[in-house]
Amino acid sequence: VEKAIKEKKKIVFTGHSSGGAIAILTTVWFLEHYLKPGKTLMSPLCVTFGSPLVGDFIFNHALIRENWSNFFLHFVMRYDIVPRILLASLSTVGQELDQILKLLSQKAMFPIQGSVREASTFYTSVMRNASAVASHAACRLMGNTNPILETVASFIELSPYRPCGTFVFLPGRGKLVVVKNADAILQLLFYSAQLCSENQLNAVAERSLNDHLGYLSELQGCLSWQNVVQLDHLEGLPLSSSGAAAGNIATNIALDDLGLSTRARLCLRAAGEHEKQKLSNQQRMDNKRQEIELGLAKLEEYKSKSALCKVGYYDAFRISKYEDDFKANVTRLELTGIWDEIIEMLNRYELPEPFESRKDWIELATKYRRIVEPLDIANYYRHAKNEDTGSYMYKGRPRRYKYTQRWREHGLRMPVGSSAESCFWAEVEELQLLYRTADPGAFEVIRERTINLERKLDEWIRSNQISNDVFLKGSTFTKWWITLPIQHKSVSPIRGQINREI
C-alpha cells in the first residue's frame, strides 16, 4: 500500500467470501489512515464477491457521513447464502454453519454426498432469521408505532448486521441490478432469495451454495455492463408487472427477475420514502438557518452592549436585572427549540447521514455553541441547579452542546474534548465554589485545574474562540482571579490581559 501511494496508483482492495469481508475492513483502515483533510490522494475502491456483512447500522451510517460509501462495491448472486449468513444469530445456525463452511471450503460444485440435507436446514434457518430482521426493519420504515413491535424485538434475538456501500445483485441471464439505499438492500437480501414453493427448498438450498462459487462464470457474461438497472427513486417503484409505466419497463423486469412480490416492492418503496423524508427534513432545517443567524445576531448585539458597561454578557445575564436580559433569554429559548429539534431528528436518524459533517452546519453550530452555551451556564448557576443536580459539566450539560462540539472535533480531526471553549464559564463556577469551600489559603486544592484553565484560556483568546470580555473589571472570572495567591498570579500566562482591563 505504501509503495502504491508513493507511485500515485489507484488501490483496489478485493476479495471473495470471507476475503471480501477482510477487503472491506482493510479499505476502512486505509481511509482512516491515509485519506486526510487537505491531502491529495487517489480514492481507493473496494470490490467484493459474495462477502458476508461486516458492520452494523452505525458502521454504514459512518461510511455515508464520511462520504466513503461510494468506495464500496459488492456483487451478490441472487441465491448466494453467504452475504445473508450474518442476518442470522450464531446461536440459531451454529451447528449447521460449521458443516456448511467445510463444504464451501472444498470449492466444489454441489451436491456433494450428504450435503443437500445440511444445505436445506441451513438455508431455512438463515432465511427465517433474515425474515425477522427484514420485517422489523420494514415496520420501522413504514412508521409502525405499535409498542408490540419493540416488545417482540426485546425477546427475539435480531442480528445487528447491516449492509453498507453499493450492492450489485446478479439475478441471472447477464443482468446487473444496482442498489445504493442500505434499507432497500436489506430487504432485497431477504426477498430476492425467496422460494416460489416449498417443493423448491432442496433445489434453492443447493443453488444457494453453488451461487457462492459461481461469480466468475456469471460475471464473464456481464462485464460489458450493457444490461444494468439502477434502482433509484424507490418511492415510485411499480407494485406489479401490470402497474409499470412505460419508463419503468426495464426496472419492472429487473424486479421480476429478482422474484420480488408486491410485499417486497412495498418494502422497497418504504425505503425510498424514508430517504425522501430525510431530504425533506434537511430542507426544512436549511430553511431555519436564517432564523438561527438572526437570533445569534441579537445575542451578539446584547454581548456588545454588556461589554460597554464593563460587565460581560455572561455576568449581565446571570444577574438579569434589565429588559435586555429578558429579551436575550427569549432569544436563547427560541434558539434552544430549533437546535433541540435538530438533535432529536439526528438521534432518530431522520436527517441524511452527511448532515452533521457539512461544513456550513459545523460552523453555524460552533458559533451557536460559543455564544449561547455561556448563557445556559449562567442560568444554571443563577438558579443554583448545581446544588440539587450537580456540576453543569457532569450533570447539566444539554445534548445539543455535546453533539455540536463533537461535530467540530470530528470535522477538523481534533482530539475528543479539545473544543470545550464554550464550557469555560462552567469550569470558572466550579473552581470558584471549590475555592470558597476550601480552608483558607488551600489553593492547592484547585491549583492544577486553575493552571490548566488559564493555559486553555490563553489559547482560546489568541485564536478568537473566546472574547476579551472575560477580563472585564465586573467579570466573575476577574473578581475570582484577583483573590488567588500572588505567587500564582505573578507567573500566570493571562496576568497581562487582566491587568490591562482593570
Side-chain angles (χ1 to χ4, degrees), residues 15 28 46 132 159 161 163 179 216 297 317 323 326 341 368 373 377 383 496:
V28 174
C46 176
S159 166
Y161 285 89
V179 192
L216 178 60
F317 192 81
E323 184 181 354
F326 172 78
E341 182 182 5
Y368 162 76
E373 186 165 19
I377 296 169
H383 293 290

Side-chain angles (χ1 to χ4, degrees), residues 7 18-19 28 32 58 64 122 190 194 241 265 325 331 341 447 481 489:
E7 295 175 359
S18 58
V28 174
E32 288 183 327
I58 299 299
I64 299 175
F122 183 68
F190 171 63
Q194 291 298 292
S241 300
R265 296 176 186 221
D325 306 321
T331 302
E341 182 182 5
R447 176 188 290 276
W481 189 86
K489 291 189 292 185

Side-chain angles (χ1 to χ4, degrees), residues 42-213:
M42 191 174 291
S43 299
L45 181 64
C46 176
V47 183
T48 73
F49 306 91
S51 170
L53 305 176
V54 301
D56 60 6
F57 172 82
I58 299 299
F59 185 82
N60 176 60
H61 177 87
L63 291 183
I64 299 175
R65 182 192 63 198
E66 298 302 313
N67 201 26
W68 293 352
S69 186
N70 289 334
F71 301 148
F72 297 84
L73 187 65
H74 312 293
F75 287 89
V76 175
M77 295 278 275
R78 178 176 173 183
Y79 289 101
D80 183 358
I81 198 64
V82 174
R84 294 147 169 112
I85 284 178
L86 288 176
L87 293 177
S89 60
L90 287 177
S91 62
T92 58
V93 298
Q95 292 182 340
E96 298 96 351
L97 180 59
D98 288 340
Q99 182 64 28
I100 293 300
L101 292 178
K102 287 178 184 177
L103 291 171
L104 289 174
S105 67
Q106 297 175 29
K107 296 185 178 179
M109 300 305 281
F110 296 89
I112 296 174
Q113 186 176 3
S115 67
V116 174
R117 182 178 58 80
E118 286 90 349
S120 299
T121 304
F122 183 68
Y123 178 87
T124 303
S125 297
V126 170
M127 294 308 293
R128 185 184 295 118
N129 281 263
S131 173
V133 172
S135 296
H136 184 265
C139 286
R140 285 185 170 278
L141 288 173
M142 295 176 186
N144 189 328
T145 58
N146 192 323
I148 294 177
L149 180 66
E150 294 309 316
T151 302
V152 172
S154 66
F155 62 82
I156 293 179
E157 186 179 5
L158 295 175
S159 166
Y161 285 89
R162 296 294 182 270
C164 66
T166 300
F167 273 61
V168 182
F169 288 87
L170 292 87
R173 294 183 292 181
K175 294 183 179 180
L176 302 169
V177 181
V178 183
V179 192
K180 293 186 176 183
N181 184 303
D183 293 318
I185 293 167
L186 176 62
Q187 299 299 322
L188 281 172
L189 285 172
F190 171 63
Y191 282 107
S192 65
Q194 291 298 292
L195 303 172
C196 293
S197 68
E198 287 296 324
N199 296 331
Q200 289 185 313
L201 177 58
N202 288 342
V204 171
E206 184 181 323
R207 182 177 171 182
S208 74
L209 300 177
N210 285 331
D211 270 8
H212 187 61
L213 302 174

